[in-house]
Amino acid sequence: MSKISGVFSGKTNWQKDAALPHAPGRVMSLGEIHGPQTCDDPDWQGVTITYWGSADLLNGSGPQSGHWVNIHPNGDQDYGVFEGQITTSGGQTTMEGTWKYTGGTGKFASIRGGGTYKGHLPSADQVENTWEGEYEL
């Protein structure tokens, strides 16, 4: 397996939150985030990611999960799933979890592997993550 690591910086395309009236402080959230990736692997140069995530938050903290797709400059894709934890404390929101490939197209049709991510929300509509892992084509 080849090692891979990178940085993602994205903006919220849309987000829908539903406050649960019977549970004060609990919010169900669904959103789409999009942006460029920077990576140490030449196969991931110029890649953009879009991910769709959901979260079950109590006072800003709770589990998150979702799906993502990377679009490579030549049109090939790799995609997968993630799950982790969102934590809000002292006015800062961070996230940490795991991700794994579930498939791809073109050169990435047989990709497998996965890894970890850590990130934060510098603003209400911006996400910054670092990630690392392994893959095999």
Side-chain angles (χ1 to χ4, degrees), residues 3-92:
K3 298 226 181 263
I4 190 170
S5 64
V7 177
F8 161 69
S9 179
K11 292 257 183 194
T12 302
N13 287 338
W14 58 265
Q15 182 173 334
K16 302 294 180 196
D17 293 332
L20 305 183
H22 71 286
R26 184 166 298 278
V27 173
M28 301 294 295
S29 182
L30 181 65
E32 178 184 88
I33 312 294
H34 177 80
Q37 301 235 42
T38 303
C39 181
D40 60 352
D41 188 308
D43 282 336
W44 272 262
Q45 295 299 323
V47 169
T48 59
I49 187 172
T50 302
Y51 75 83
W52 303 267
S54 64
D56 180 2
L57 304 174
L58 179 59
N59 299 320
S61 298
Q64 72 172 162
S65 63
H67 297 261
W68 49 266
V69 60
N70 281 319
I71 308 293
H72 296 260
N74 69 353
D76 287 351
Q77 300 178 8
D78 66 80
Y79 41 85
V81 294
F82 67 92
E83 61 181 18
Q85 184 72 22
I86 296 173
T87 303
T88 300
S89 177
Q92 297 213 31

Side-chain angles (χ1 to χ4, degrees), residues 80-124:
V81 294
F82 67 92
E83 61 181 18
Q85 184 72 22
I86 296 173
T87 303
T88 300
S89 177
Q92 297 213 31
T93 301
T94 60
M95 67 220 46
E96 186 171 347
T98 61
W99 57 270
K100 69 178 180 178
Y101 295 107
T102 59
T105 64
K107 179 177 185 174
F108 305 98
S110 63
I111 196 166
R112 64 185 186 94
T116 60
Y117 66 89
K118 289 184 178 183
H120 70 283
L121 304 176
S123 69

